[in-house]
Amino acid sequence: RVSRVEGVENRIKSMGYTTESMEDVRKPIEKEAQHQQMMLGGLGAISLLVATLGIINTMIMSISERTREIGIMKALGCPVSDIRAMFLAEAGAIGLIGGFLGCVFSTILSAIMNIISAALSPVDFVSALLEGEDVAQVSVIPWWLLAFALIFSVLIGLGAGYYPANKAVRISALEAIKNE
């Protein structure tokens, strides 16, 4: 087993012998992969923050453009929860559309990577497109990851829309109707 290699290697070294194993190569490669994963995770977190701020900005602009409509809805007796739900649904839809486009783009990019790696031979080309088992795939995106990405993007949209939705609810009906 791989987990026992280091222990065996240490016992051999304690006897005064020198050893070499793939463990000496694997550890630095694993450490480098962890560093790259941390950098890509940081880049992803920054992208997520920028997307969240974009949704917040879009929703605040939507509220400022529809202030009069919000005032009319309140004056006609529309429940505050319905106004909040309307803006949260809008923010969730923005997140869903962004997540869907991201999933489509990722799937297309993954397919392109697999096609290029298949050396573009006619047999491998069809197998790479259909994700055949006889072709080594460079990029694989499982269906559950796409589903998680869609759900996560909707949740990010809802989270980003929470502040603007509450801002819309706090608008005074009389002041909103006067606003033009």
Side-chain angles (χ1 to χ4, degrees), residues 82-142:
D82 287 354
I83 295 171
R84 180 180 287 120
M86 178 179 73
F87 284 104
L88 284 175
E90 212 172 292
I94 291 171
L96 178 66
I97 292 168
F100 179 75
L101 291 175
C103 287
V104 168
F105 178 73
S106 298
T107 304
I108 291 170
L109 189 62
S110 175
I112 290 170
M113 289 170 58
N114 289 331
I115 290 168
I116 290 172
S117 71
L120 299 177
S121 69
V123 175
D124 288 344
F125 180 77
V126 174
S127 294
L129 277 176
L130 300 175
E131 297 183 3
E133 293 181 16
D134 57 334
V135 177
Q137 303 235 331
V138 175
S139 175
V140 177
I141 303 174

Side-chain angles (χ1 to χ4, degrees), residues 9-134:
E9 192 173 16
N10 287 336
R11 278 191 277 163
I12 293 172
K13 284 181 182 178
S14 69
M15 293 179 194
Y17 296 103
T18 59
T19 64
E20 288 184 29
S21 68
M22 288 305 291
E23 202 60 23
D24 298 332
V25 175
R26 186 187 64 82
K27 282 183 180 178
I29 291 173
E30 189 175 275
K31 191 173 184 179
E32 181 64 30
Q34 287 175 346
H35 284 287
Q36 289 177 354
Q37 198 171 19
M38 293 284 286
M39 289 176 50
L40 289 174
L43 183 64
I46 291 170
S47 299
L48 186 61
L49 178 67
V50 169
T52 303
L53 292 175
I55 292 172
I56 291 171
N57 185 41
T58 301
M59 294 305 300
I60 288 175
M61 291 305 297
S62 175
I63 289 167
S64 66
E65 290 175 2
R66 298 184 340 196
T67 302
R68 186 172 170 90
E69 293 173 31
I70 295 168
I72 292 170
M73 287 170 40
K74 282 185 162 189
L76 292 175
C78 181
V80 172
S81 61
D82 287 354
I83 295 171
R84 180 180 287 120
M86 178 179 73
F87 284 104
L88 284 175
E90 212 172 292
I94 291 171
L96 178 66
I97 292 168
F100 179 75
L101 291 175
C103 287
V104 168
F105 178 73
S106 298
T107 304
I108 291 170
L109 189 62
S110 175
I112 290 170
M113 289 170 58
N114 289 331
I115 290 168
I116 290 172
S117 71
L120 299 177
S121 69
V123 175
D124 288 344
F125 180 77
V126 174
S127 294
L129 277 176
L130 300 175
E131 297 183 3
E133 293 181 16
D134 57 334

